[in-house]
């Protein structure tokens, strides 16, 4: 019998992190929990330490009083505890971790994604922002160290599976990939009402239960824009060979159309436990606790094209996939900052795409940026969004 593979779950208190813990629980003996991390939400984190007993628990926000109290307080599960991003990076870089589940939200997940691939680990990647910001760098680093990047994002997991039909891949064997989008919570609203959407309206997703940032991204379709960029890097396809369709049921997770016209899709009910599990067990398939299709129940599947007037953010993803360079870092940072403003009720939902477009258009483009340059552009874009907001107040 093989020794269990040692898994680190970064962002264990989040929506993906919690599902990843459940997957591990149903795979005792195959995997062991080497490390978990969170940024805040210490109450839930303490419970996870007791229930799942990781070898090491890291709180990345080392500046808060709460973290210091936790470090020095009672340790009922007798596990190792640490604070700060450096401690997390050190842990995932060492021999006690084989697989890193990257489930931190936003560009905050980039450093750990890079550390995982630098050290040749399998990166089970939910944090799409890592690829959007630094796709070129992440892939080049993974190539050097022979690290695997296995997508957790359900669409990319579907494509990853559908591409396995391509037994003799050539540059032209795939005609295009088709990413499906639920259309988000405001899919059926009149376009002219979208500017009135409240925080609650945007956070009520019809088919997926997810963290706040990605749920807002789903309402604007910025999530799909980021996924276009993610697919471009992961599968090496130009923007013209990536298409997005609205599929309200979220059953078909995405498709690959081959050059002979055959379309291979992956279907399952919307439940992130399945793609998380596949990224951990690939190339093996193991029994899952994720929801399954019920073939005795009637079910209709439908899809239709995206209306660009309803979802202006989507085009920004295609633009970033076409231009590359610093564009991903700028779009991602502008979006993170704008979503934050929306969640503080300072801007309208419809302002997010407008702000992102303006910031993207005005940035100082570089085609082959270093990591430092990307992070500088990230800071610049956030400052621009704040400046824009102040000018409105
Ligand atoms: P979430 O908000 O529910 O959880 C985020 C996690 O990241 C939490 O554990 C939090 O403590 C941690 N975190 C937040 N800020 C941090 C920081 N500065 N440093 C370190 N850790 C920090 O988010 P989520 O919905 O689980 O999404 C996580 C990632 O997975 C995102 O990149 C998202 O796009 C991607 N994703 C999510 C889903 C989903 O169904 N939720 C699906 C596909 C992809
Ligand atoms: Mg997705």
């Amino acid at each position: 019998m093989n020794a269990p593979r040692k898994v680190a779950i970064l962002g264990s208190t989040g929506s993906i992190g919690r599902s990843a813990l459940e997957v591990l629980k149903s795979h005792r003996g195959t995997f062991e929990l080497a490390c978990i991390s969170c940024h805040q939400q210490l109450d839930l984190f303490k419970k996870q330490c007791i229930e799942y007993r990781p070898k090491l628990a890291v709180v990345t926000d080392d500046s808060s009083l709460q973290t210091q109290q936790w470090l020095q307080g009672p340790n009922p599960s007798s596990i190792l505890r640490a604070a700060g991003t450096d401690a997390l990076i050190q842990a995932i870089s060492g021999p006690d971790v084989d697989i890193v589940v990257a489930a931190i939200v936003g560009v905050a997940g980039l450093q750990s994604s890079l550390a995982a691939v630098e050290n040749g680990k399998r990166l089970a990647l939910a944090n799409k922002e890592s690829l959007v910001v630094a796709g070129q760098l992440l892939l080049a680093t993974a190539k050097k160290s022979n690290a695997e990047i296995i997508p957790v994002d359900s669409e990319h997991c579907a494509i990853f599976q559908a591409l396995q039909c391509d037994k003799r891949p050539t540059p032209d064997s795939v005609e295009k990939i088709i990413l499906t989008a639920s259309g988000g919570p405001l899919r059926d609203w009149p376009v002219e009402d979208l500017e009135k959407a409240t925080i609650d309206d945007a956070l009520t997703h019809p088919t997926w239960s997810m963290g706040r940032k990605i749920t807002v991204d789903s309402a604007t379709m910025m999530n799909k824009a980021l996924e276009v960029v993610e697919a471009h890097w992961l599968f090496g396809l130009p923007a013209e060979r990536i298409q997005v369709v609205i599929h309200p049921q979220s059953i078909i997770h995405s498709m690959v159309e081959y050059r002979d016209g055959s379309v291979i899709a992956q279907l399952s009910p919307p439940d992130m436990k399945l793609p998380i599990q596949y990224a951990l067990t690939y190339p093996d398939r193991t029994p899952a606790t994720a929801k399954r299709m019920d073939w005795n129940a009637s079910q209709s599947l439908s899809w239709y094209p995206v209306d660009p007037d309803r979802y202006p953010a989507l085009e920004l993803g295609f633009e970033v996939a076409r231009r590359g360079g610093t564009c991903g870092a700028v779009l991602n940072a502008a979006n993170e900052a704008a979503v934050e403003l929306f969640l503080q009720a300072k801007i309208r939902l419809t302002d997010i795409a407008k702000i992102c477009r303006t910031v993207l258009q005005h940035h100082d483009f570089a085609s082959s940026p270093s990591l430092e340059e990307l992070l500088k552009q990230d800071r610049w874009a956030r400052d621009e969004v704040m400046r824009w907001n102040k000018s409105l107040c």
Side-chain angles (χ1 to χ4, degrees), residues 143-165:
K143 200 170 169 193
K144 246 194 242 162
S145 64
N146 257 333
E148 295 171 298
I149 302 178
I150 315 279
V152 165
D153 216 350
S154 55
E155 296 77 1
H156 304 74
C157 173
I159 294 163
F160 183 69
Q161 294 185 59
L163 283 174
Q164 287 166 38
C165 296

Side-chain angles (χ1 to χ4, degrees), residues 12 96 101 147 165 205 234 274 280 339 371 381:
S12 66
D96 291 334
V101 178
C165 296
H205 198 281
L234 277 174
L274 185 54
L280 292 171
V339 168
L371 181 60

Side-chain angles (χ1 to χ4, degrees), residues 10-18 37-41 60-61 85 88 102-109 125-130 152-155 208-215 217 223 226-227 230 272:
L10 316 191
S12 66
T13 50
S15 163
I16 293 287
R18 294 192 307 271
S37 85
C38 82
H39 201 58
Q40 284 147 352
Q41 275 188 297
T60 40
D61 180 8
T85 302
L88 182 63
I104 291 174
V105 62
V107 73
L125 185 65
N127 178 263
K128 63 193 85 182
E129 295 91 345
S130 290
V152 165
D153 216 350
S154 55
E155 296 77 1
W208 292 100
S209 156
M210 310 182 283
R212 283 158 67 88
K213 189 247 176 194
I214 186 175
T215 309
D217 285 351
N223 182 46
L226 302 179
E227 290 184 358
E230 183 185 10
M272 288 307 293

